[in-house]
Amino acid sequence: MNIARTSISKPIFTWLFILICLIGGIWSFFSLGRLEDPAFTIKTAAIVTQYPGASAEQVAREVSEPLESAIQKMAEVDEIISVNTPGQSLIEVEMKPEIKGDELKAIWTRLRAQISDATRGLPDGVSTPFVNDSFGDVFGMYFAVMGQGFDDRELHELATFLRRELLAVPGVADVTLAGLPEEAIYIEPNLALSANQNIPPQSIISAISQANSVVAAGEISDVLIQAPEGSDSVGDIASLSIGVSGRVIALTDVATVTRMRVDKPSSMIRFNGREAFTIGVAGLQSQNIVEVGKRVDQRLSELWADLPYGVEIESIYRQHSVVEDASNAFLVNLAMSVAIVVIVLALFMGWRAAVVVGSTLLLTVLGTLLVMKFFSIEMERISLGALIIAMGMLVDNAIVVAEGMQSAMRRGRNSLDAADEAASKTQIPLLGATVIGIMSFAAIGLSANATGEFLFSLFAVIGTSLLLSWVLAVTVTPLFGHYFFKQQEAGADDAYSGAVFRAYASVLRASLAGRWIVVPVLVLITVVSFAGFKQVKQQFFPDSNTPLFFVHYKLPQGADIKRTSADLQQVEAWLMERDDVVSVTAFAGDGASRFMLTYPIQRPNPSYGHLIVRTQSIDDIPELQLALEEFGTSHLIDGEFRTKRLVFGPGGGDPIQLRLSGPDPKVLRELGEDAARIMQANTDDFTGMRTNWHEQELVIKPDYATERAQTAGVTREEIAWTLRFATDGVPAGIYRDDERLIPIIVRAPKDTEYGLIDHMTGSQSNNAMMPLGQVINGFDYEIQDTLYHRRSRVPTLTVSADISLDKTPAAVHGDIQQAVEAMVLPTGYRMEWGGEYEDSGKAQRSLAQQLPVALLIMILISILLFNALRQPLIIWLLVPMAVTGVVIGLLSTGLPFSFTALLGLLSLSGMLIKNGIVLVEEIDIVRREGMALKEAIITASTSRFRPVVLAAATTILGMIPLLGDAFFVSMAVTIMAGLAFGSILTLIAAPVLYYLFFKRDEKHAPASGVAALNG
């Protein structure tokens, strides 16, 4: 049964299909979920374990090693990274890329079980490991809140109120707070009086720990009994009594009690130079983020009247606004693409064909939206871009069918017969070519890594739209052609007798005659193009078009967070004087909450500072970056100062990274210094070098006088306790301020004249106090690694570098790779590259794993279509020649060959194969009708001239809206330039190669006697 004839003779089914696409597509557009970037699963969990008093190396050996050994037993684990600092182990566990997102919940449960089992073997004093598997939560609605004149308690009450109200908004999944003032209640004994009265600090701690405890008190006859409430105010704590040696002493007689901010907060945040805390709001994945964002905005507007005077809420990032703007821009780009396609068709095929093909195109887009709705594919950057990328490709099938119908109706055939003739000749070749076009995108869409997951919607949307375009081309296009195309009398003018067709036929004849010149020239051009491809800049993912960039600032390891914050204030003040800066958000001690999926989360460190700078437009960023780096490096000379653009897609770490692994930290540092010198000697494009171990720190260690201390009954633990009391203070309990838990800390007064060795230490065994100097032999000083990184259970030092803004990581890596890899490493040590080189390599290896299957399917389809080998070989020979156009396009525009450009090259190959199939199939059909080889080639090629040119023109011109998109521009140029040159290949190289491959058959076949094509 011929589908085209049936669609005309029984239009009710076709119209039903049209209405489903039309109404369903419009409904889907307004109900589809919307995101900024496609969701890709962050398959990472973090395990945090505290080991107070241990050095970084001890933490690595006694905590991280046994935990990592247990984690490694899980078959799903891909990589284990640990960061060991004094007193804390942080282990990041990354699962294999092929693990699906819905499998992670069970895997995290098993991970917790493994950790729980391993905990039994950890040393005394180690806390219970905390497993955090919420690494990938995105708080896309990100606000800074300022409360001028508010005290710390009021700020916490405000934050709690806002969080509670926002969590009640429909569609909100979570709300996170950061940067709130951290308070403590400090109890500072009078050291002289305490020593005179023989009141050890332990007595104070014991009294406090029992003053506000919560304990069970049993029950009577099913009636619960609660213990009496403890101290509920700072005043109550100050009025506590202490029992010492049978005496009762008031706490206020020997100590002062103060509620104040902690000396060393974990983070400090400012917005435009003013102290602030942040609120991050995450939406449910199943919800339309635009609608959720609008509801959050509405709720904040409603709350505004109830907020006290002085509260200000400013936006740091508004994901829902970005998504809404992207959706609106998509509508504009879609309208532009459809308009371009229709105008081109109207100019070259007439307004009737433009209406027929344009209607088919519109229905294809709407039908694709309906399929996206059914399969929960959100509208985001990649899926929207995929529709525009496919725009020109979607009209190919409809153009071929419409061209065939018009040609047949010009020869006097009615619409039914014309549709039957056009569709019967092309529907199978078009289906095969369409599947080949889909498979050209399959390799990336089916890749198991994060890049494949990030770009999966591209494959899904293009595959759906292309397949739907074929269905509509053989059903709706014939029906609309039946309504719009006019039948002409038999014997009317030949459709291909125009001047353009005659000129093309003349060029083709000359090419066939000079085939031994044409082929070598094409081969030479292809070889030169492959050689010129080395001059094209390489890039993984391009910079984002969001007008944001970051500042990373790192003081020497061990620097105080307040010093970090003070340095950042200088940068903030400089930025706020500029007209091109909209806002500056400063973070000391930590980075921001994950407000974008591609935002690189920072590890907490008091010596680290971070700025989020929003500019008026993306065009302001390069100049501002240069000026800011000059200011930072000249004014903040004690630290590492660098700026960083936000990058599309996975990755986003340091552009250049070299990892050195081995057993001895000292050797690793020496190797890192050698590698850094070699790198800097081989390129001038580095703007900063560093290692992730950073600087070593000075550590003070008491020399325990074993004989004297044991005689006095003073243990090492009591000496450590005394030193902690003399410095940071010793936790004594928790003060409950409503839902807040404020630590109570007993410490020596900050203004004391006592040196460390003068502090009194006590012996619990004999209840005596004595100067610390009597039980130690002074202090030793030692240089230690306080950042101890491990990778795959081996100490690993990473050398990182940033590069000049006008360079790509691939180019700089190429300059240094050979020299660095020539380093001679000691036995037991190894090196490997990280950064963009590793990310790109992983993505390309994953692509390479899928590509052979996709290529095999494409080759098999092309062979099955022709039931021969020579025709598919002709078509596939065109693919490498298309690189010429790609090289010309990228070199002339100065754009890099990014991962998206690689995807464009794959799709380009699918387009060329599709055009080649239609052309070669037509030559075969004409030859079967009895025409001589040369004339059959000319006749068939001329008849396919307009569809090939129009398909190329609509695709190329339909890409114009993407030239303004930073993510898709390199892909657009790759397809546009490659297809422009590829169309020439299809129309010249394919016929010439066909003639060379089949000329011998012509010699052995009898003359056909078919008249040559005129003109």
Side-chain angles (χ1 to χ4, degrees):
M1 180 182 70
N2 187 286
I3 301 174
R5 180 179 286 273
T6 304
S7 67
I8 296 175
S9 59
K10 297 180 179 179
I12 184 66
F13 299 108
T14 309
W15 276 107
L16 185 60
F17 186 49
I18 291 171
L19 289 175
I20 291 173
C21 290
L22 183 64
I23 298 174
I26 294 173
W27 168 73
S28 298
F29 177 79
F30 290 103
S31 60
L32 269 172
R34 285 168 168 79
L35 295 173
E36 180 179 4
D37 290 302
F40 63 91
T41 307
I42 298 177
K43 306 180 180 75
T44 304
I47 300 101
V48 180
T49 312
Q50 306 295 334
Y51 188 13
S55 67
E57 188 173 356
Q58 280 182 293
V59 169
R61 183 176 61 251
E62 299 177 21
V63 178
S64 294
E65 170 60 27
L67 292 180
E68 290 172 14
S69 298
I71 295 168
Q72 190 174 324
K73 296 175 183 178
M74 297 180 62
E76 299 87 352
V77 171
D78 184 40
E79 202 166 54
I80 303 173
I81 300 171
S82 68
V83 182
N84 304 277
T85 55
Q88 178 177 285
S89 162
L90 170 63
I91 302 175
E92 294 180 359
V93 184
E94 186 172 344
M95 297 301 159
K96 292 179 179 178
E98 58 267 23
I99 299 297
K100 304 299 182 184
D102 55 4
E103 300 173 356
L104 285 176
K105 187 174 182 180
I107 291 174
W108 298 145
T109 300
R110 289 176 48 219
L111 175 65
R112 286 186 169 88
Q114 290 288 110
I115 295 295
S116 178
D117 291 342
T119 302
R120 300 189 186 100
L122 297 180
D124 292 338
V126 176
S127 69
T128 302
F130 170 70
V131 180
N132 176 18
D133 58 14
S134 302
F135 237 49
D137 291 349
V138 179
F139 300 91
M141 290 153 279
Y142 197 39
F143 305 96
V145 182
M146 291 148 287
Q148 185 175 1
F150 285 60
D151 62 30
D152 293 345
R153 180 175 184 174
E154 290 169 335
L155 287 175
H156 278 271
E157 290 174 349
L158 172 64
T160 302
F161 169 75
L162 290 173
R163 184 175 188 273
R164 183 177 62 246
E165 293 297 324
L166 292 178
L167 277 171
V169 174
V172 169
D174 194 12
V175 177
T176 186
L177 302 171
L180 282 164
E182 299 173 44
E183 290 184 286
I185 295 176
Y186 289 104
I187 299 177
E188 299 178 344
N190 184 310
L191 298 181
L193 187 58
S194 297
N196 184 49
Q197 295 294 324
N198 197 28
I199 304 174
Q202 290 93 331
S203 300
I204 298 175
I205 291 174
S206 177
I208 293 168
S209 63
Q210 299 172 16
N212 201 17
S213 60
V214 176
V215 295
E219 60 182 56
I220 298 176
S221 301
D222 296 329
V223 178
L224 182 66
I225 301 175
Q226 290 186 343
E229 294 185 358
S231 303
D232 59 0
S233 70
V234 176
D236 288 343
I237 294 173
S239 63
L240 287 174
S241 298
I242 306 169
V244 181
S245 302
R247 296 173 296 159
V248 177
I249 300 173
L251 179 61
T252 52
D253 291 340
V254 293
T256 59
V257 181
T258 310
R259 176 173 174 170
M260 59 186 295
R261 291 191 179 185
V262 297
D263 295 332
K264 299 176 181 179
S266 59
S267 68
M268 301 173 69
I269 299 175
R270 286 185 299 274
F271 182 83
N272 286 347
R274 299 166 59 194
E275 184 179 289
F277 65 89
T278 60
I279 296 181
V281 183
L284 292 169
Q285 290 188 356
S286 59
Q287 295 286 314
N288 183 334
I289 195 64
V290 174
E291 297 302 320
V292 175
K294 288 181 178 178
R295 289 196 287 268
V296 169
D297 287 343
Q298 181 181 356
R299 185 58 184 148
L300 287 175
S301 298
E302 293 169 353
L303 293 174
W304 189 253
D306 298 329
L307 295 178
Y309 178 78
V311 174
E312 296 181 48
I313 302 177
E314 299 287 348
S315 295
I316 300 174
Y317 192 76
R318 298 168 60 86
Q319 186 185 41
H320 57 292
S321 298
V322 174
V323 172
E324 187 172 30
D325 292 342
S327 297
N328 294 335
F330 163 71
L331 284 178
V332 174
N333 290 338
L334 178 63
M336 288 176 59
S337 296
V338 172
I340 289 170
V341 170
V342 171
I343 291 171
V344 170
L345 292 174
L347 291 175
F348 290 95
M349 294 182 68
W351 70 268
R352 296 177 185 276
V355 171
V356 171
V357 178
S359 300
T360 305
L361 172 62
L362 181 60
L363 289 172
T364 302
V365 172
L366 293 174
T368 302
L369 293 176
L370 180 59
V371 175
M372 289 171 61
K373 177 65 177 177
F374 283 148
F375 289 95
S376 301
I377 301 175
E378 293 89 358
M379 290 177 64
E380 24 78 3
R381 189 192 315 274
I382 305 300
S383 60
L384 295 180
L387 280 173
I388 299 175
I389 290 171
M391 196 63 60
M393 302 164 61
L394 298 181
V395 300
D396 287 6
N397 294 329
I399 287 176
V400 171
V401 174
E403 167 79 7
M405 280 191 68
Q406 281 188 320
S407 177
M409 293 178 73
R410 287 194 189 98
R411 299 196 304 269
R413 310 198 71 171
N414 61 42
S415 59
L416 272 173
D417 292 337
D420 193 5
E421 176 185 327
S424 61
K425 286 170 50 178
T426 59
Q427 63 186 17
I428 298 302
L430 286 177
L431 177 60
T434 298
V435 174
I436 288 175
I438 294 172
M439 293 309 300
S440 66
F441 288 90
I444 179 61
L446 299 178
S447 293
N449 65 347
T451 304
E453 190 176 0
F454 185 76
L455 294 173
F456 172 77
S457 61
L458 187 89
F459 165 65
V461 171
I462 288 181
T464 299
S465 59
L466 286 178
L467 197 58
L468 189 58
S469 74
W470 178 83
V471 174
L472 291 168
V474 296
T475 55
V476 175
T477 300
L479 179 63
F480 285 1
H482 169 71
Y483 294 146
F484 284 92
F485 295 158
K486 289 187 175 181
Q487 180 181 357
Q488 298 182 11
E489 295 183 4
D493 291 341
D494 189 349
Y496 307 113
S497 60
V500 175
F501 294 102
R502 291 198 305 273
Y504 168 64
S506 299
V507 171
L508 187 54
R509 281 197 179 90
S511 299
L512 294 174
R515 56 191 176 278
W516 296 114
I517 299 176
V518 172
V519 172
V521 168
L522 288 174
V523 172
L524 178 62
I525 292 174
T526 303
V527 171
V528 171
S529 297
F530 272 96
F533 196 79
K534 297 179 180 179
Q535 305 301 317
V536 178
K537 294 186 291 186
Q538 305 291 311
Q539 191 180 48
F540 185 35
F541 275 108
D543 292 330
S544 171
N545 55 7
T546 303
L548 289 177
F549 73 93
F550 307 127
V551 173
H552 299 282
Y553 180 61
K554 179 67 175 65
L555 281 167
Q557 185 66 17
D560 184 75
I561 188 173
K562 293 183 178 178
R563 179 184 170 192
T564 306
S565 179
D567 285 355
L568 288 181
Q569 283 182 307
Q570 299 182 48
V571 185
E572 295 169 66
W574 183 86
L575 284 168
M576 292 311 300
E577 292 177 354
R578 295 183 61 101
D579 295 333
D580 49 1
V581 173
V582 175
S583 65
V584 181
T585 311
F587 303 83
D590 203 350
S593 304
R594 191 190 295 274
F595 61 92
M596 298 178 69
L597 191 59
T598 55
Y599 173 75
I601 291 294
Q602 306 299 322
R603 295 188 181 104
N605 191 324
S607 59
Y608 171 74
H610 183 62
L611 297 178
I612 299 176
V613 183
R614 178 175 287 277
T615 61
Q616 297 286 355
S617 73
I618 189 174
D619 297 328
D620 297 328
I621 293 180
E623 181 182 350
L624 178 58
Q625 269 189 285
L626 289 172
L628 180 56
E629 287 191 353
E630 182 179 351
F631 172 83
T633 53
S634 61
H635 286 73
L636 304 177
I637 58 176
D638 291 336
E640 302 166 0
F641 188 92
R642 55 197 174 96
T643 63
K644 180 81 173 174
R645 288 287 299 274
L646 185 64
V647 177
F648 284 118
D654 294 326
I656 303 294
Q657 283 186 350
L658 175 70
R659 291 195 291 266
L660 298 162
S661 301
D664 190 342
K666 182 178 179 181
V667 175
L668 288 179
R669 284 192 177 273
E670 292 172 354
L671 291 174
E673 292 173 359
D674 293 342
R677 282 194 296 268
I678 293 173
M679 289 181 181
Q680 290 176 314
N682 283 272
T683 182
D684 295 326
D685 296 317
F686 283 151
T687 58
M689 296 202 67
R690 57 200 172 274
T691 71
N692 63 341
W693 287 40
H694 296 294
E695 301 79 14
Q696 293 179 306
E697 290 188 58
L698 180 67
V699 177
I700 302 174
K701 299 179 70 173
D703 182 7
Y704 183 67
T706 306
E707 185 175 346
R708 296 200 309 271
Q710 289 180 351
T711 301
V714 178
T715 65
R716 288 178 172 84
E717 289 76 13
E718 287 169 331
I719 291 175
W721 190 97
T722 301
L723 291 173
R724 190 176 184 187
F725 164 77
T727 53
D728 294 334
V730 180
I734 294 295
Y735 168 58
R736 293 175 175 82
D737 187 358
D738 293 332
E739 70 274 12
R740 290 179 63 200
L741 302 178
I742 301 175
I744 303 172
I745 297 174
V746 178
R747 70 180 183 184
K750 287 297 180 182
D751 57 355
T752 181
E753 296 179 355
Y754 285 74
L756 278 180
I757 204 166
D758 300 323
H759 277 272
M760 304 296 290
T761 187
S763 170
Q764 298 249 348
S765 59
N766 57 23
N767 197 26
M769 297 185 67
M770 65 205 70
L772 186 61
Q774 292 184 8
V775 291
I776 65 172
N777 297 320
F779 293 97
D780 294 330
Y781 299 89
E782 188 176 300
I783 302 296
Q784 287 186 0
D785 292 307
T786 55
L787 267 178
Y788 192 97
H789 289 253
R790 288 160 52 99
R791 196 180 190 92
S792 300
R793 299 177 59 199
V794 180
T796 302
L797 180 142
T798 302
V799 181
S800 303
D802 291 304
I803 59 175
S804 303
L805 297 179
D806 59 340
K807 299 293 182 180
T808 63
V812 177
H813 184 270
D815 294 338
I816 64 174
Q817 182 175 9
Q818 186 175 356
V820 172
E821 292 179 354
M823 286 178 61
V824 178
L825 300 180
T827 303
Y829 292 80
R830 70 176 188 272
M831 72 166 63
E832 60 181 355
W833 292 102
E836 184 169 302
Y837 179 84
E838 180 182 45
D839 294 336
S840 178
K842 286 181 178 179
Q844 291 177 8
R845 283 192 295 273
S846 180
L847 179 64
Q849 291 175 357
Q850 306 295 329
L851 195 57
V853 177
L855 284 175
L856 180 61
I857 294 174
M858 294 165 72
I859 292 171
L860 286 176
I861 291 175
S862 60
I863 292 174
L864 292 174
L865 278 175
F866 295 99
N867 195 29
L869 293 177
R870 284 181 289 182
Q871 288 93 332
L873 182 58
I874 291 169
I875 294 166
W876 281 94
L877 284 174
L878 301 177
V879 175
M881 297 182 185
V883 173
T884 302
V886 175
V887 172
I888 293 173
L890 293 177
L891 286 178
S892 61
T893 57
L895 291 170
F897 186 76
S898 63
F899 194 79
T900 55
L902 173 61
L903 189 60
L905 185 60
L906 294 176
S907 65
L908 174 64
S909 65
M911 298 179 201
L912 293 179
I913 292 171
K914 184 177 182 180
N915 286 338
I917 286 174
V918 175
L919 176 59
V920 173
E921 174 70 16
E922 183 68 16
I923 296 175
D924 284 349
I925 291 173
V926 175
R927 286 187 67 203
R928 284 196 292 268
E929 293 174 355
M931 187 173 291
L933 175 63
K934 190 171 186 178
E935 293 305 317
I937 291 174
I938 296 173
T939 301
S941 299
T942 305
S943 69
R944 286 287 164 253
F945 175 79
R946 181 157 55 186
V948 170
V949 171
L950 283 180
T954 52
T955 301
I956 292 170
L957 296 176
M959 290 279 175
I960 289 177
L962 291 183
L963 294 178
D965 190 299
F967 185 78
F968 286 110
V969 61
S970 60
M971 175 192 279
V973 170
T974 297
I975 294 176
M976 293 170 76
L979 190 57
F981 188 80
S983 299
I984 299 174
L985 289 176
T986 303
L987 295 170
I988 300 296
V992 170
L993 291 174
Y994 193 101
Y995 188 68
L996 287 175
F997 275 65
F998 288 92
K999 191 173 187 301
R1000 181 171 297 182
D1001 294 353
E1002 185 77 5
K1003 292 179 180 179
H1004 295 89
S1008 62
V1010 180
L1013 179 67
N1014 292 327

